[in-house]
Amino acid sequence: MPKMPSERKEEQYLKERDEFFKALPKLNRRQFIKVAMASAAVALAKNQSPPHSFQLVEAVEAKQGGGTEVKFRFAYISDTHLYERKLNERFVRAALKAVQDVNALDPQPDFVLFGGDLAQLGQPEELKLGKEILSELKPKLYMMVGEHDWYLDLGEKWIELFGKPYYSFDHKGVHFIVLNSVLVDDYWTETKMTPMERMKFMAQLDNPKGRPFTVGRGYGDVGKKQFEWLKQDLAKVSKDTPIVVFSHSPLYKYYKPWNFWTDDAEEVQALLRPFKNVTVIHGHTHQPVFNRIGNINFYGMLSTAWPWPYAPTGLPKLTIKMNRADPFDQFDGTGDGTVEVLANGKANKIYNLWSREPMKVTARYLESGGKEEVPPVPVDPSF
């Protein structure tokens, strides 16, 4: 029986892909990045790759009369989980696509923030590959660390490549705070784990030896110094200034067995409570998840690598759950979104899922306890 055109096209694609990746080991790292980015651009032009792989955030200010206008934009990339390129090209392609998309934005965003878990096992080659991919970004880049980046060498390579694991900056009237929220108490020294044993335990979703993440509690002097720094940093900021906090783990207690959790979350929230408007945007959970505690709105972000399932308990009641991901579509359940930080300091979050319709979650929805402006949940016809 003669093959259908779609079958011939698929065979040709697979052949070209195999030839492409067989040639990659012969390239040096710089050549690899340039060739792969060119390939991503061609794929985008042919509609052979997902339309989004970064997260664009818009901060806006009020016009006269109560309207809004865009004040500035920044892009957000998170949870790429890179292996060395010889082991996994799928996550590399997603990261390259993210860079390609950000660079194609017009106008360009003011800066880009990376939300953690650049690497999968924290190995120097994974982190170096991630840095070289991200170095192709045109805008300024801010980095945030995840547990997959930290626990092979307790942050030594990360700090060498990217600098401080926690810091703050001000941009056009908004105070941004970037935290290292993945600190855990030492459970490896007494049992004489090797660095890779420790890293592999930390990379598990349900680490049987794990300890809960913290910002400041435990973890010796590292955590204590960060918590003191956070208190001093916030003491310098007016209570009317909008605060946007980036943490890798959620700054609340969601599901402890998977460490979707920050053990000293209440202590961090207490520091943020005096401020008029606070938004926390986190990675790690690889899913749309929404919460409101006191004056703080929380938004979980999507991953460029894969979606996690929702936990069996503890899911914040304001979460609008997406359908389970299609296992035959490698990009389903992943994607990007936009965050509009309004003049009043509140934020609206739009999720652009690569293989689904977008969904929007507003600050009014969170602040009303889910009673106002319930966003439409996209219906996936394949389920």
Side-chain angles (χ1 to χ4, degrees), residues 56 71 340:
L56 177 65
K71 189 173 183 181
E340 303 167 335

Side-chain angles (χ1 to χ4, degrees), residues 19-305:
E19 291 175 353
F20 174 75
F21 284 104
K22 283 178 183 177
L24 291 184
K26 301 176 184 178
L27 303 177
N28 62 35
R29 188 183 299 272
R30 178 60 62 178
Q31 291 170 328
F32 167 77
I33 297 293
K34 290 187 178 298
V35 169
M37 288 193 72
S39 175
V42 172
L44 177 63
K46 294 182 178 181
N47 294 319
Q48 292 176 349
S49 61
H52 305 287
S53 51
F54 66 94
Q55 296 175 330
L56 177 65
V57 182
E58 294 186 353
V60 302
E61 61 182 353
K63 289 181 180 177
Q64 292 183 353
T68 61
E69 63 182 4
V70 174
K71 189 173 183 181
F72 68 90
R73 295 173 174 158
F74 69 91
Y76 186 107
I77 302 169
S78 190
D79 289 272
T80 53
H81 290 273
L82 296 171
Y83 290 89
E84 292 184 61
R85 67 178 189 253
K86 64 185 178 183
L87 297 177
N88 184 317
E89 95 283 352
R90 169 183 159 185
F91 297 163
V92 172
R93 287 203 314 268
L96 289 164
K97 174 66 170 64
V99 172
Q100 188 74 31
D101 283 354
V102 170
N103 286 344
L105 289 173
D106 185 15
Q108 279 284 280
D110 285 18
F111 60 87
V112 182
L113 188 136
F114 184 83
D117 285 349
L118 179 64
Q120 174 62 12
L121 293 174
Q123 298 184 77
E125 290 305 309
E126 296 172 351
L127 292 169
K128 285 189 219 174
L129 175 60
K131 181 173 183 178
E132 293 202 24
I133 290 173
L134 296 176
S135 72
E136 299 294 327
L137 287 164
K138 295 177 182 177
K140 180 179 177 60
L141 176 66
Y142 293 97
M143 297 294 293
M144 180 166 67
V145 69
E147 79 277 11
H148 287 259
D149 309 314
W150 187 262
Y151 280 97
L152 182 66
D153 58 8
L154 302 181
E156 182 178 336
K157 193 64 180 180
W158 176 275
I159 293 170
E160 176 190 324
L161 292 174
F162 303 113
K164 296 179 180 179
Y166 55 89
Y167 57 95
S168 67
F169 61 96
D170 295 294
H171 191 75
K172 297 182 179 178
V174 179
H175 188 65
F176 290 88
I177 299 171
V178 182
L179 294 175
N180 179 357
S181 67
V182 296
L183 303 176
V184 301
D185 286 328
D186 183 348
Y187 61 84
W188 47 84
T189 299
E190 185 177 352
T191 55
K192 299 181 180 179
M193 286 186 187
T194 67
M196 184 51 74
E197 286 174 336
R198 175 180 61 213
M199 182 67 256
K200 287 183 176 179
F201 273 113
M202 289 301 301
Q204 295 180 51
L205 182 64
D206 52 356
N207 178 3
K209 296 183 181 294
R211 303 289 189 275
F213 290 141
T214 79
V215 171
R217 182 188 297 160
Y219 202 77
D221 289 339
V222 177
K224 293 175 183 176
K225 287 180 180 177
Q226 177 173 219
F227 203 78
E228 282 302 311
W229 167 85
L230 180 58
K231 287 195 291 186
Q232 294 173 14
D233 181 76
L234 289 170
K236 303 172 186 175
V237 181
S238 165
K239 299 302 185 291
D240 292 327
T241 300
I243 305 290
V244 178
V245 180
F246 289 95
S247 66
H248 185 66
S249 63
L251 289 183
Y252 56 89
K253 294 175 177 177
Y254 171 4
Y255 188 62
K256 195 170 187 177
W258 293 352
N259 225 355
F260 289 2
W261 187 276
T262 302
D263 211 42
D264 58 349
E266 292 89 350
E267 295 170 42
V268 179
Q269 293 166 20
L271 295 179
L272 297 170
R273 194 169 296 127
F275 293 87
K276 186 175 180 180
N277 291 297
V278 182
T279 300
V280 174
I281 301 175
H282 66 82
H284 187 58
T285 58
H286 296 209
Q287 59 195 208
V289 59
F290 317 109
N291 200 3
R292 179 171 172 82
I293 300 173
N295 63 321
I296 308 173
N297 289 344
F298 300 85
Y299 300 85
M301 305 296 270
L302 299 169
S303 165
T304 65

